[in-house]
């Protein structure tokens, strides 16, 4: 028999219907060849039987027989044709370890030989009896990494005690008493955990994005406050006289420096948050990529490094506080008090009051601290002297000498503001005290002992200090506003109805939590003093 022409191409052995190499080639009466399955299916779908190539019609369905010559030639050229059909390896695919020159894509990996094979080089494993017993799996790269370094056996088990992949011999040596499971079983467990880790990472990202937005909002409010404070300062100082131009410049510089400090702090925090978001985003990508792999060993070996999120800062307690401008203008003008005493009375107290009122807090009175003579309303908003000492259980927090009561709420940072109605009262005390104030023998009511209060009776209004500071007594004082900037050490009192400033204590040393203090004084002090002190909601339209 003459040798086959080596220059023949795949087209010479292709079915014109499926365009693939003949499978059981058969011939029609007109001499054309097709796969038996292809021509049979073609005629099953036709009314008349004809040749798909030349369209010759047949009266009856032809009896098809295998074309032995074509079949033998397909068998002879089959191997070379298969090699030609095999694709070259692409990036991220496993290459054949046997190919020289152009590497073809591996179709199987042998766990006995530790070699990956293309279709051509896999042929001995499909033909030779001994090689047929080898364990073939889907193509894998880095086969050496899948072997136990100590026993040279396949890593196919997972030690739950030490969280590592082990071989069968490891279970009777180093990991003899450890519980082990197949890789697939642990893979499924870790896959379930991976979803939780991904959700946690996404939540961390969202929390930090929220932190960034809150910081940006704070900065925007700070800028607005700064602009407003500067504008008020310009208006007031311009109205005073040319002699206070330096005071105006100093005020502007002070406000801008505080704003700059706040913006710098916010910028640093945002950079930190953005860096953590970048790290968490990278981690999320790694988690997502790992969740898509079906490589059990690679998954489990990589999972250990992804199980715990990257170290992050606890941002729940981090915040940017807008700089306080309350009292800034007043402190600047205090430097010129001797020459500008009259002009200071013209300060826009109304604008300042509106600014501090935005820091309103909801406070209620604590009955455990109330002197036995005091009667509190059910909502904890009102207190008056009942005139009779009640028999109540001993409590170390209770005032026993001073007819006073504290609020339940305390404050150890930031700013807070509240208002108390003093209408129809002939005497009262009002302010803030530190938490450790003496509740039994409290007599020295000064800032040095942790007490910042104003005292009122019909004849005078004073800020309790050493010495006392006597304040201008205004007729018709009905409601007092109290503002504290803990971090700035500032305490201010306001006549809410008249919308004027009463007094400010600057440079206060607040070293512990502060409570608001209310004392309605004796119900018969300076006449009829039975009216209650009432913690009132803030109405900025007053």
């Amino acid at each position: 028999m003459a040798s086959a022409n080596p220059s023949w191409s795949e087209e010479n052995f292709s079915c014109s219907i499926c365009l693939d190499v003949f499978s059981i080639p058969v011939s029609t009466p007109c001499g054309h060849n097709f796969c038996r399955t292809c021509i049979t299916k073609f005629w099953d779908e036709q009314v008349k039987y004809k040749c798909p190539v030349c369209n010759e019609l047949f009266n009856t369905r032809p009896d098809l027989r295998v074309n032995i010559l074509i079949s033998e030639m397909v068998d002879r050229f089959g191997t070379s044709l298969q090699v030609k059909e095999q694709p070259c390896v692409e990036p991220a695919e496993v290459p054949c370890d046997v190919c020289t020159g152009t590497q073809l894509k591996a179709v199987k990996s042998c766990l006995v030989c530790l070699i990956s094979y293309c279709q051509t080089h896999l042929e001995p494993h499909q033909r030779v009896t001994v090689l047929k017993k080898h364990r073939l799996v889907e193509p894998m790269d880095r086969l050496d990494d899948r072997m136990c370094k100590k026993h040279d056996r396949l890593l196919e088990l997972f030690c739950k005690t030490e969280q590592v992949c082990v071989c069968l011999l490891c279970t009777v040596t180093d990991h003899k008493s450890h519980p082990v499971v197949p890789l697939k079983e642990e893979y499924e467990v870790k896959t379930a955990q991976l979803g939780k880790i991904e959700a946690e990472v996404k939540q961390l990202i969202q929390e930090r994005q929220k932190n960034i937005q809150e910081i940006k909002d704070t900065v925007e409010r700070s800028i607005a406050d700064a602009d407003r404070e500067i504008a008020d300062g310009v208006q007031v100082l311009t109205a005073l006289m040319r002699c206070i131009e330096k005071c105006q410049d100093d005020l502007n510089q002070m406000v801008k420096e505080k704003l700059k400090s706040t913006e710098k702090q916010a910028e640093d925090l945002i950079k930190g948050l953005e860096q953590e978001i970048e790290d968490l985003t990278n981690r999320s990508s790694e988690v997502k990529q790992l969740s898509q792999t079906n490589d059990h060993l690679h998954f489990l070996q990589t999972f250990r490094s992804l199980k715990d999120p990257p170290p992050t800062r606890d941002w729940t307690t981090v915040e940017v506080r807008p700089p306080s401008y309350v009292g800034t203008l007043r402190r600047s003008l205090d430097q010129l008090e001797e020459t500008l005493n009259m002009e200071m009375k013209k300060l826009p107290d109304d604008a300042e009051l509106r600014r501090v009122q935005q820091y309103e807090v909801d406070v209620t009175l604590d009955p455990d601290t109330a002197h036995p003579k005091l009667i509190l309303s059910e909502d904890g908003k009102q207190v008056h002297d009942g005139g009779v000492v009640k028999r109540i259980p001993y409590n170390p927090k209770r005032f026993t000498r001073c007819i006073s009561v504290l609020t339940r709420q305390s404050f150890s940072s930031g700013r807070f503001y509240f208002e108390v109605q003093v209408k129809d009262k002939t005497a009262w005390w009002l302010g803030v005290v530190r938490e450790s104030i003496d509740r039994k023998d409290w007599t020295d009511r000064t800032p040095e002992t942790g007490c910042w209060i104003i005292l009122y009776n019909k004849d005078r209004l004073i800020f309790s200090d050493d010495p006392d500071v006597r304040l201008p007594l205004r007729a018709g004082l009905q409601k007092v506003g109290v503002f504290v900037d803990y971090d700035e050490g500032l305490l201010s009192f306001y006549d809410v109805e008249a919308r004027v400033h009463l007094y400010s204590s600057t440079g206060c040393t607040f070293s512990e939590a502060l409570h608001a203090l209310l004392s309605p004084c004796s119900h018969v002090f300076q006449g009829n003093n039975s009216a209650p002190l009432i913690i009132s909601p803030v109405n900025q339209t007053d």
Side-chain angles (χ1 to χ4, degrees):
M1 179 178 178
S3 61
N5 185 353
S7 64
W8 285 8
S9 67
E10 180 180 339
E11 295 178 356
N12 298 108
F13 302 98
S14 298
C15 170
S16 58
I17 296 178
C18 67
L19 304 180
D20 204 349
V21 177
F22 285 122
S23 174
I24 311 179
V26 296
S27 300
T28 60
C30 60
H32 294 110
N33 300 300
F34 307 94
C35 299
R36 182 165 61 186
T37 302
C38 294
I39 190 63
T40 300
K41 183 178 180 181
F42 177 78
W43 281 343
D44 287 343
E45 298 173 351
Q46 303 294 320
V47 177
K48 297 182 179 180
Y49 306 115
K50 64 179 180 178
C51 174
V53 176
C54 65
N55 291 325
E56 181 177 342
L57 293 174
F58 307 111
N59 294 329
T60 59
R61 185 165 182 157
D63 183 17
L64 300 173
R65 295 187 178 183
V66 176
N67 189 320
I68 297 176
L69 176 60
I70 296 295
S71 181
E72 290 178 349
M73 295 181 68
V74 168
D75 289 341
R76 178 172 298 184
F77 288 92
T79 300
S80 62
L81 289 173
Q82 290 175 3
V83 171
K84 183 178 179 181
E85 291 171 353
Q86 294 184 70
C88 294
V89 67
E90 297 290 339
E93 292 181 338
V94 180
C96 174
D97 295 326
V98 182
C99 287
T100 59
T102 302
Q103 284 186 305
L104 300 180
K105 175 183 176 181
V107 295
K108 293 290 182 182
S109 293
C110 177
L111 296 181
V112 178
C113 303
L114 294 182
I115 294 177
S116 297
Y117 298 100
C118 65
Q119 186 63 51
T120 299
H121 294 122
L122 182 65
E123 188 271 337
H125 278 73
Q126 298 171 330
R127 174 172 49 82
V128 179
T129 303
V130 175
L131 297 180
K132 284 182 178 181
K133 298 178 181 180
H134 288 190
R135 184 178 174 186
L136 299 178
V137 296
E138 292 303 310
M140 296 180 177
D141 58 354
R142 305 189 312 275
L143 287 173
D144 289 342
D145 294 340
R146 302 176 184 276
M147 304 301 293
C148 177
K149 305 301 182 184
K150 185 173 182 180
H151 302 113
D152 200 28
R153 296 287 295 272
L154 181 67
L155 297 171
E156 52 187 344
L157 299 171
F158 186 81
C159 173
K160 298 184 75 68
T161 300
E162 298 188 13
Q163 295 288 298
V164 294
C165 299
V166 298
C167 72
L168 190 58
L169 288 180
C170 289
T171 63
V172 295
T173 55
D174 299 342
H175 301 264
K176 183 177 181 179
S177 60
H178 298 172
V180 296
V181 296
L183 293 182
K184 183 178 180 180
E185 181 177 331
E186 188 64 20
Y187 167 84
E188 292 172 350
V189 172
K190 292 294 191 292
T191 300
Q193 296 178 4
L194 199 64
K196 181 180 179 181
I197 293 175
E198 184 178 12
E200 290 174 348
V201 170
K202 289 182 178 179
Q203 182 178 357
L204 289 172
I205 292 176
Q206 292 173 354
E207 290 175 353
R208 279 144 185 78
Q209 289 173 335
K210 182 180 178 181
N211 290 145
I212 289 178
Q213 188 57 50
E214 290 175 350
I215 291 173
K216 289 181 177 179
D217 292 343
T218 300
V219 173
E220 290 179 0
R221 290 196 300 271
S222 300
I223 294 173
D225 289 345
D227 292 342
R228 184 167 54 248
E229 187 71 14
I230 291 174
D232 289 344
V234 170
Q235 177 182 353
V236 172
L237 296 174
T238 301
L240 292 178
M241 289 177 67
R242 287 291 181 182
C243 68
I244 61 170
E245 288 181 354
K246 184 178 182 300
C247 178
Q248 178 180 328
D249 294 337
D250 292 344
L251 173 68
N252 292 347
Q253 181 178 357
M254 186 183 305
V255 173
K256 290 179 179 179
E257 286 178 353
K258 286 188 176 184
L259 176 60
K260 183 178 180 180
S261 176
T262 300
E263 291 179 319
K264 179 62 169 62
Q265 180 188 4
E267 180 181 358
D268 292 343
L269 291 176
I270 290 175
K271 286 182 179 178
L273 285 164
E274 289 176 339
Q275 181 60 50
E276 287 196 11
I277 288 176
E278 181 180 350
D279 295 341
L280 290 169
T281 301
N282 293 337
R283 176 59 60 90
S284 179
S285 299
E286 294 173 3
V287 169
K288 183 175 182 181
Q289 182 177 359
L290 185 60
S291 66
Q292 296 173 350
T293 183
N294 294 321
D295 184 338
H296 301 171
L297 180 61
H298 173 64
F299 176 91
L300 293 172
Q301 290 177 332
T302 306
F303 182 85
R304 296 179 65 187
S305 63
L306 294 180
K307 182 173 65 174
D308 299 324
T312 56
R313 181 177 179 181
D314 181 7
W315 294 94
T316 59
T317 60
V318 176
E319 62 175 331
V320 176
R321 291 195 183 96
S324 173
Y325 303 109
V326 177
T328 301
L329 178 58
R330 188 171 302 282
R331 288 192 293 271
S332 297
L333 291 176
D334 282 344
Q335 300 172 10
L336 305 174
E337 184 174 6
E338 292 183 2
T339 57
L340 303 176
N341 186 52
M342 294 301 297
E343 286 77 2
M344 284 188 64
K345 296 180 181 179
K346 302 176 184 179
L347 287 176
D349 293 329
D350 183 68
E352 182 175 317
L353 181 58
R354 284 198 303 272
R355 287 202 293 274
V356 300
Q357 283 179 326
Q358 66 179 311
Y359 298 105
E360 176 191 10
V361 292
D362 183 16
V363 291
T364 54
L365 301 174
D366 183 359
D368 289 341
T369 67
H371 185 278
K373 290 182 64 177
L374 295 181
I375 297 177
L376 276 59
S377 62
E378 291 186 2
D379 62 0
K381 296 291 187 179
Q382 300 186 29
V383 58
H384 70 277
D385 175 23
V388 177
V389 177
K390 302 186 296 294
R391 290 186 177 182
I392 52 181
Y394 171 80
N395 191 315
K397 298 193 302 181
R398 190 180 309 283
F399 287 98
T400 57
R401 181 171 180 177
C402 176
I403 306 178
S404 302
V405 62
L406 301 182
T407 56
R408 295 178 183 272
Q409 297 76 17
S410 63
F411 305 89
S412 55
S413 65
R415 303 160 194 154
F416 61 95
Y417 174 85
F418 61 94
E419 294 179 352
V420 178
Q421 179 178 305
V422 297
K423 183 179 179 182
D424 298 328
K425 297 288 294 177
T426 58
W428 47 263
W429 303 350
L430 180 61
V432 296
V433 297
R434 66 187 181 195
E435 194 166 59
S436 63
I437 196 73
D438 184 3
R439 316 289 175 91
K440 309 305 177 187
D441 298 314
W442 184 38
T443 56
D444 188 8
R445 309 177 186 96
T446 64
E448 285 70 21
T449 62
C451 174
W452 295 266
I453 62 174
I454 56 175
L455 293 76
Y456 170 80
N457 61 39
K458 284 187 176 181
D459 299 325
R460 60 179 184 166
L461 179 67
I462 67 171
F463 176 75
S464 183
D465 203 344
D466 186 16
D468 288 340
V469 180
R470 188 152 188 166
L471 310 179
L473 185 59
R474 296 178 177 274
L477 182 59
Q478 298 186 18
K479 187 181 294 184
V480 176
V482 182
F483 171 74
V484 175
D485 187 329
Y486 191 101
D487 302 312
E488 292 288 334
L490 171 68
L491 171 71
S492 296
F493 296 93
Y494 299 88
D495 180 340
V496 177
E497 299 296 330
R499 307 196 69 77
V500 297
H501 171 264
L502 294 175
Y503 181 74
S504 284
S505 179
T506 60
C508 303
T509 302
F510 301 136
S511 57
E512 57 182 270
L514 299 178
H515 290 263
L517 175 139
L518 280 70
S519 175
C521 296
S522 172
H523 71 295
V524 294
F525 188 81
Q526 293 285 350
N528 182 10
N529 190 35
S530 60
L533 290 177
I534 304 174
I535 299 174
S536 306
V538 173
N539 184 359
Q540 296 191 32
T541 61
D542 286 349

